[in-house]
Amino acid sequence: MQIITKNIFCKEEELTLTNQRVFYWKRKETLVLSDLHIGKSAHFRKHGIPIPDNVLKKDLNRLKQLIIYFNPKTVIVVGDLFHAEFNSDIETFKIWILEFKNINFELIIGNHDRLSADLYMDLNIKIYRPNKIEDNLCFVHDNIKIDENYFTVSGHTHPGVLIKGKAKQKIKLPCFQVTNNQLILPAFSLFTGLNTSNCPENCINYAFTDAAIFTI
């Protein structure tokens, strides 16, 4: 897995975007991601849709490599860590998270995070509802209204861009959407669609591939 980075400044805070769907806040030693949707693949299999059982394992392996690379003290998930009811994928995550007992895991509750508070406690994940404010940044799952006093970090919309080439060729790529007051994270899980129709006003799209990050 190749990790490509690009530093940007938001409200005087330096944030390191990556082509692996996360950003790193170096000053706070914090890794930030959104929409992991643990349990989604098992949920589909339960309802007769043949989704491979290694989908989650690939996502968690990518996250593990990012944790090793950045060595954060804290990992913040801005919503939809989980997808549905308790299922076998969550058991897989329980085993995975035990590798990182020295890291603080925090979750901003998203619309899919419907599991019991006891489970979060059992996993040693600190939860926030509806947001977490730290210095100049406000972490929330779905950014409905901008607070001019903070730079808002959110997820939920699974942003992407549609790039048109010659001969009617088209390609969709995930992206970070950044304005003067907000950053919308791409969905971390590879088992998600891309929303190319929702773009905030005056937005810069930082799209990425396996080998590059570029501005659109």
Side-chain angles (χ1 to χ4, degrees):
M1 182 180 83
Q2 187 176 15
I3 300 174
I4 307 296
T5 64
K6 181 178 182 62
N7 292 342
I8 63 172
F9 286 87
C10 305
K11 290 286 186 183
E12 301 179 354
E13 294 290 348
E14 185 176 21
L15 308 178
T16 302
L17 309 183
T18 77
N19 67 329
Q20 297 298 331
R21 303 177 180 233
V22 307
F23 76 77
Y24 184 60
W25 188 8
K26 184 178 180 180
R27 186 171 71 84
K28 291 290 187 175
E29 299 181 81
T30 298
L31 193 69
V32 184
L33 63 144
S34 184
D35 296 276
L36 188 50
H37 287 281
I38 295 167
K40 185 175 182 179
S41 55
H43 176 77
F44 274 63
R45 289 194 298 274
K46 180 180 177 181
H47 290 82
I49 301 173
I51 303 299
D53 61 5
N54 66 345
V55 169
L56 175 63
K57 292 179 182 178
K58 288 182 178 179
D59 283 341
L60 292 178
N61 184 61
R62 285 171 45 239
L63 184 52
K64 178 179 179 178
Q65 295 306 311
L66 287 160
I67 289 173
I68 292 171
Y69 182 85
F70 287 106
N71 192 27
K73 290 183 177 178
T74 301
V75 173
I76 297 178
V77 182
V78 290
D80 288 356
L81 173 61
F82 299 108
H83 181 77
E85 73 285 347
F86 191 97
N87 58 38
S88 58
D89 278 356
I90 297 172
E91 292 290 357
T92 299
F93 178 67
K94 276 187 170 184
I95 296 170
W96 178 89
I97 201 172
L98 288 175
E99 295 184 52
F100 307 103
K101 291 181 178 180
N102 295 326
I103 295 177
N104 300 315
F105 281 85
E106 300 179 351
L107 169 65
I108 317 303
I109 294 294
N111 56 299
H112 281 281
D113 294 312
R114 303 167 188 160
L115 300 174
S116 71
D118 290 341
L119 176 65
Y120 300 118
M121 187 178 298
D122 182 46
L123 293 171
N124 200 27
I125 297 174
K126 186 174 183 178
I127 62 174
Y128 294 84
R129 188 188 283 114
N131 59 33
K132 175 190 178 181
I133 294 174
E134 185 167 357
D135 294 354
N136 294 324
L137 272 57
C138 175
F139 299 94
V140 63
H141 179 55
D142 185 10
N143 183 27
I144 298 172
K145 185 178 180 181
I146 294 292
D147 185 336
E148 298 293 339
N149 295 313
Y150 300 101
F151 185 84
T152 301
V153 175
S154 64
H156 183 62
T157 59
H158 304 186
V161 291
L162 179 64
I163 300 174
K164 298 179 181 179
K166 296 180 179 179
K168 297 183 179 181
Q169 293 179 335
K170 298 179 182 179
I171 184 172
K172 287 184 179 181
L173 294 175
C175 69
F176 297 85
Q177 293 180 328
V178 181
T179 72
N180 287 335
N181 293 300
Q182 65 175 325
L183 183 155
I184 303 176
L185 281 148
F188 184 79
S189 176
L190 300 181
F191 186 39
T192 55
L194 293 176
N195 182 350
T196 60
S197 60
N198 259 350
C199 189
E201 188 176 353
N202 300 319
C203 171
I204 298 174
N205 293 310
Y206 292 95
F208 50 86
T209 64
D210 289 341
I213 302 174
F214 51 94
T215 304
I216 296 178

